[in-house]
Amino acid sequence: QVKLLQSGAALVKPGASVKMSCKASGYTFTDYWVSWVKQSHGKSLEWIGEIYPNSGATNFNEKFKGKATLTVDKSTSTAYMELSRLTSEDSAIYYCTRQGNWSFDYWGQGVMVTVSS
Amino acid sequence: DTVLTQSPALAVSPGERVTISCRASESVSTLMHWYQQKPGQQPTLLIYLASNLESGVPARFSGSGSGTDFTLTIDPVEADDTATYYCQQSWNDPPTFGAGTKLELK
């Protein structure tokens, strides 16, 4: 069965960076786009960007350009997102998702990022 | 960006029929999808492309609409359906989500 297993929660200082992972299993990793979605506390969902593992091609929400960097390791079927120059506004839960049928058909369990000194 | 407007909350009794609406600020054709999110969990896909039931989702859930107006229907509602429901469009860039409709059972 399809699974997306994300890395654990992170506590980071303002101005620092954080890199999180999303390990895929149960399907051919290189055949599907992987998106990342932000959910601020008690709020709705924002699409950050997407990456196509086969080629490494990426697309971003304008709001997150310069904030997020997306990469993949095809050998381990793992997608990564790095967030830079963190502020309190970046404190949120971050999900990786697989794109299928034009929608987000599978989701990871989420990574809670807390930005605090 | 395409804004999706949902009513903030609904309260229904088990066994009733509930409709959750989502209105888009511009046409999204039929590229509208619905997700369920229970507290402390990740969202899960219920309906894709406006009216297609995701595999494993109970047939109590159904979706309809095209253009700018869409509806998610749950009939009959069960206690386990307590959750927040989000619509999401993928016709216009960037993909956007509604603010969510919190469904509570009386």
Side-chain angles (χ1 to χ4, degrees):
Chain A
Q1 67 281 32
V2 174
K3 288 187 178 179
L4 299 172
L5 183 62
Q6 297 187 244
S7 47
L11 172 61
V12 291
K13 295 189 184 315
S17 298
V18 65
K19 189 173 184 178
M20 61 192 76
S21 64
C22 171
K23 183 171 177 57
S25 61
Y27 72 99
T28 302
F29 179 62
T30 49
D31 284 353
Y32 293 83
W33 287 82
V34 173
S35 270
W36 292 83
V37 174
K38 177 184 181 182
Q39 186 167 39
S40 301
H41 181 65
K43 296 188 178 179
S44 187
L45 303 152
E46 289 183 282
W47 180 76
I48 297 170
E50 62 186 357
I51 186 166
Y52 189 55
N54 195 35
S55 63
T58 56
N59 296 299
F60 287 94
N61 186 331
E62 283 291 329
K63 179 179 177 179
F64 293 95
K65 284 184 178 177
K67 169 64 68 177
T69 302
L70 304 182
T71 56
V72 296
D73 180 345
K74 290 191 284 187
S75 69
T76 60
S77 299
T78 303
Y80 297 90
M81 180 172 70
E82 183 170 20
L83 301 173
S84 61
R85 299 182 300 279
L86 292 167
T87 72
S88 59
E89 295 295 307
D90 298 313
S91 293
I93 297 175
Y94 294 87
Y95 295 101
C96 63
T97 74
R98 191 188 83 161
Q99 291 175 220
N101 291 320
W102 295 88
S103 60
F104 303 123
D105 59 356
Y106 289 92
W107 296 63
Q109 83 276 20
V111 173
M112 180 175 291
V113 174
T114 303
V115 181
S116 174
S117 54
Chain B
D1 297 357
T2 303
V3 176
L4 303 181
T5 301
Q6 299 182 243
S7 49
L10 291 169
V12 298
S13 299
E16 291 185 346
R17 178 177 185 266
V18 65
T19 59
I20 297 171
S21 64
C22 177
R23 173 163 287 178
S25 60
E26 56 188 322
S27 177
V28 300
S29 185
T30 57
L31 269 65
M32 181 66 79
H33 322 289
W34 292 93
Y35 303 85
Q36 178 192 67
Q37 186 177 33
K38 296 181 178 180
Q41 298 184 19
Q42 69 270 45
T44 59
L45 179 65
L46 297 174
I47 301 287
Y48 63 94
L49 298 175
S51 60
N52 294 274
L53 191 67
E54 174 69 352
S55 176
V57 174
R60 303 183 291 105
F61 293 87
S62 63
S64 64
S66 66
T68 60
D69 291 295
F70 297 85
T71 300
L72 172 71
T73 300
I74 311 172
D75 186 15
V77 171
E78 296 183 358
D80 187 52
D81 299 334
T82 298
T84 300
Y85 293 84
Y86 295 96
C87 55
Q88 177 252 323
Q89 66 82 24
S90 55
W91 179 251
N92 300 307
D93 281 331
T96 51
F97 293 84
T101 297
K102 188 171 185 178
L103 180 65
E104 296 181 342
L105 269 66
K106 297 177 185 175

